[in-house]
Amino acid sequence: MTNPPGRRFGCMAVALNPAGDVLMVEPAYKPGKLILPGGNAEPYEVPNEAAARRVLMETGLVLDLWQLVAVDYVSAREVPEGVNFVFWGGRLTDRKADRVSAPPVEESGVLRTAWVSPGDLRSVTDAEQAARVIDALRAVEQGTGLPLLLRGHPAGA
């Protein structure tokens, strides 16, 4: 096959404040629903760099993202077929967590940021997003995240 079908690579991060709440954003294209900060990688962009770029754009946070905590395949039902890479953004200090804010919506595409208790996820987002976040948090808690390899070598640490 000379022209394989294009696929979407969603690249996002799960980060916690000191209380254990999850950083979420409300994108302008999905008002009323919260999602993890992040977005699609550009062609030839490394997934962790795409996640870091999008997190910075949407929240003002600079995160070193190199540990995968979930990979979620998404079929072509509602969006183009793709894979969502969820990176561990860490547990932020109070100071860093307090500085999180969405830049103007024209620049970021984000209406607001929010810290959400894991127990409240199902009430603020769709079932798939909630499950993705809960499974990523479980991987962090159990220490079962996967390192990101770039051409066979661990990225980051």
Side-chain angles (χ1 to χ4, degrees), residues 8-122:
R8 181 186 54 76
F9 291 110
C11 304
M12 55 207 65
V14 61
L16 304 176
N17 66 13
D21 299 324
V22 180
L23 176 60
M24 305 287 282
V25 298
E26 181 182 354
Y29 69 86
K30 202 173 193 176
K33 292 290 181 184
L34 298 175
I35 63 172
L36 288 173
N40 292 328
E42 299 293 330
Y44 307 106
E45 187 175 25
V46 179
N48 67 316
E49 292 174 3
R53 174 181 58 80
R54 293 297 302 232
V55 168
L56 174 62
M57 183 177 81
E58 295 176 357
T59 69
L61 274 176
V62 174
L63 296 177
D64 185 21
L65 304 173
W66 55 268
Q67 185 180 20
L68 279 166
V69 291
V71 177
D72 186 9
Y73 171 77
V74 179
S75 67
R77 288 178 298 147
E78 299 173 21
V79 295
E81 177 188 34
V83 176
N84 288 318
F85 296 102
V86 183
F87 293 91
W88 174 230
R91 186 177 293 265
L92 308 180
T93 63
D94 279 322
R95 184 174 181 207
K96 201 166 190 176
D98 289 344
R99 298 170 109 178
V100 170
S101 64
V105 70
E106 300 82 24
E107 297 171 22
S108 68
V110 170
L111 298 173
R112 68 184 177 100
T113 61
W115 292 100
V116 179
S117 165
D120 293 335
L121 286 167
R122 286 186 170 83

